[in-house]
Amino acid sequence: MSNTSATFDYVIIGGGTAGCLLANRLSAEPRNRVLLLEAGKADIYPWIHIPVGYLYCIGNPRTDWLYHTEPDAGLNNRVQRYPRGKVLGGCSSINGMIYMRGQARDYDGWAKTTGENSWAWQNALADFKAHESHYRLDQGADPKTGNNSRFSDMHGSGGEWRVEKQRLRWDVLDSFADAAEQAGIEKIEDFNVGDNAGVGYFDVNQRSGWRWSSSKAFLRPARKRQNLTIWTQAQVEKLTFGTQDDGQLRCTGLRLTRDGRSSHITAKREVILSAGAINSPQILQLSGIGPANLLRSKGIEVIRDAPVGENLQDHLQIRAVFKVTGTQTLNTLSNSVFGKLKIGAEYLLKRSGPMSMSPSQLGAFTRSDPARPHANLEYHVQPLSLEAFGEDLHDFPAITVSVCNLNPTSRGQVQIRSANFRDPPKIMPNYLSTAEDRKIAADSLRQARQIMAQPALQRYAPEELKPGVQHQSDEELARLAGDIANTIFHPVGTVKMGRIDDPSAVLDPHLRVKGVQGLRVVDASVMPTITSGNTNAPTLMIAEKAAAWIRAGL
């Protein structure tokens, strides 16, 4: 194996959601020499670009790291697949495309936790808008008011990140929205104004019926810049460190493997780790930054003892299934050759129909009990059903009413398995490990039943298939939730930011690794607490804010 070396000002590890935006923003200054590293391949795989193609990207070594969790007691010792994007665009190339910021209280909480007011909702909102191109601002003036200020206050136009309406509807989902309203959940026009309580169709990151990933949005416009270098199939082995003249520890670069060759890369200004909530802690631990006992047990020299890999949070979706009659669902539409041809023709001719759909079309945010001050449940309602992700659809009409606890109190871990960078990390989400989370799981299933029992859905004669109406107690429902629940692909928090004096925080409020110069982490791993909704949009906001800080030398 031959050795090479190269020097850049900024080295970004991870060409995913955050990394692509950072590469665009940092290379906008011609004096900055920027290297973007991605362990996966270029995003030329056709199924990436067709919205329903996530079915062929998840579990595919061409686009997915193919991770699995350790057996999880909360899931009755089941092991589950844990998809992570391994391709330019990262998870934005294989995810459900839902545009969801969360709640204002999420970001105000970050500001309080970190002591940095830049994270507060009103300041974060400016970063969301900075890269947004929202369809509502394309529609011209509101006929009632003569302006579109109610949208422009909350959304951006002219940015790279396209947000559009979905291009299909389903009668049974419209009826579910009516039923949710009958159950006390008001219909909502926009989930992204700071309070997402309500029911409605999700907005999606698509452009004219095609998936819109961070690679398309941020890398394509920057690719021709002479100061931006993009290396794919480049996997980082470890970070390298040195001592400055003032005695402080500094990250000087990294070692990587690419095309069978080992390379040493020097970063003159910063190394920015944007490999995600699983791979960022893995790389830090491999490099000697992490829990000292863990590192020593793997034969790794401890550079800095820090709680890297702790604080793993994720949204666990509990997939309740209801049989229906007298309406079309994807189960029945796709179970014949004619139906499949119709689906294909609709997408080919109009870029609409089931091939344009995200995994979940309709959403509802509500409280698990009236005493709660804010919505703590998110329903993803799907006009389909199956035994498990990756398996065939059922051969009868049905819908899935998936629900997740937005603010879980359970915490997990990510740990290296060995000192070999090629070995996948151990992922231990520790789902449903607290009494509160188990109670909310039971309550959320009861609320799904309550919605399905409303008059608006009775023409479909809904019949509960999973978990089954015979199960009623908290204990039964929590146990069965463990059988029918899966990750909704929102891991965060494993390289937590916080105050300088917070021993549980790896990063300072500006996302710099505490005690190490020249090393920053910018991805979903930095979140101290998970956002109240899907996590892709918040990750872009984090990257937008970090890019401004980096360019300003903060």
Side-chain angles (χ1 to χ4, degrees), residues 125-179:
L125 182 59
D127 294 300
F128 279 116
K129 293 170 63 176
H131 52 251
E132 192 177 22
S133 171
H134 201 281
Y135 74 94
R136 293 186 187 278
L137 300 185
D138 296 341
Q139 296 174 345
D142 187 306
K144 295 180 181 178
T145 64
N147 63 59
N148 60 10
S149 62
R150 66 192 179 108
F151 296 126
S152 60
D153 287 347
M154 286 291 162
H155 292 290
S157 63
E160 300 94 340
W161 195 235
R162 184 62 179 167
V163 180
E164 294 190 348
K165 290 179 65 173
Q166 294 188 63
R167 301 169 73 85
L168 77 166
R169 303 184 79 88
W170 298 82
D171 288 344
V172 69
L173 296 190
D174 291 341
S175 296
F176 185 96
D178 292 340

Side-chain angles (χ1 to χ4, degrees), residues 51-248:
V52 80
Y54 70 90
L55 291 169
Y56 306 99
C57 293
I58 292 175
N60 183 342
R62 173 66 179 77
T63 49
D64 184 357
W65 281 94
L66 303 181
Y67 289 150
H68 290 81
T69 65
E70 300 299 297
D72 197 308
L75 302 187
N76 304 321
N77 292 317
R78 287 192 296 126
V79 170
Q80 61 172 335
R81 289 197 293 184
Y82 214 75
R84 297 285 86 201
K86 187 181 182 182
V87 64
L88 279 179
C91 289
S92 75
S93 289
I94 70 170
N95 70 0
M97 296 162 284
I98 291 172
Y99 183 75
M100 183 63 59
R101 295 170 175 171
Q103 298 171 3
R105 53 175 292 278
D106 299 329
Y107 304 98
D108 292 341
W110 291 4
K112 184 177 180 180
T113 296
T114 63
E116 173 56 72
N117 197 53
S118 297
W119 292 112
W121 166 249
Q122 285 302 325
N123 296 317
L125 182 59
D127 294 300
F128 279 116
K129 293 170 63 176
H131 52 251
E132 192 177 22
S133 171
H134 201 281
Y135 74 94
R136 293 186 187 278
L137 300 185
D138 296 341
Q139 296 174 345
D142 187 306
K144 295 180 181 178
T145 64
N147 63 59
N148 60 10
S149 62
R150 66 192 179 108
F151 296 126
S152 60
D153 287 347
M154 286 291 162
H155 292 290
S157 63
E160 300 94 340
W161 195 235
R162 184 62 179 167
V163 180
E164 294 190 348
K165 290 179 65 173
Q166 294 188 63
R167 301 169 73 85
L168 77 166
R169 303 184 79 88
W170 298 82
D171 288 344
V172 69
L173 296 190
D174 291 341
S175 296
F176 185 96
D178 292 340
E181 188 174 35
Q182 290 169 349
I185 305 172
E186 294 184 4
K187 290 182 179 177
I188 191 172
E189 190 174 16
D190 187 352
F191 282 126
N192 290 295
V193 296
D195 181 359
N196 52 17
V199 61
Y201 278 85
F202 291 118
D203 289 338
V204 291
N205 296 122
Q206 294 181 9
R207 183 178 288 279
S208 303
W210 299 99
R211 173 189 291 275
W212 197 242
S213 70
S214 63
S215 174
K216 290 181 181 178
F218 300 104
L219 277 191
R220 282 186 180 179
R223 274 187 176 276
K224 293 183 179 179
R225 294 174 184 167
Q226 296 298 307
N227 61 330
L228 174 62
T229 301
I230 302 169
W231 288 354
T232 55
Q233 296 180 268
Q235 188 166 355
V236 172
E237 301 173 25
K238 62 184 295 186
L239 307 176
T240 57
F241 301 93
T243 303
Q244 298 183 152
D245 291 341
D246 60 3
Q248 293 191 72

Side-chain angles (χ1 to χ4, degrees), residues 314-318 364-366 376-380 401-408 440 444 486 488 490 532-534:
D314 191 11
H315 289 142
L316 180 72
Q317 67 167 356
I318 305 170
F365 293 79
T366 187
N376 68 317
L377 297 180
E378 178 181 9
Y379 287 87
H380 293 80
V401 183
S402 296
V403 59
C404 67
N405 176 358
L406 289 170
N407 313 123
I440 290 173
S444 68
N486 294 94
I488 202 169
H490 296 167
S532 301
N534 309 67

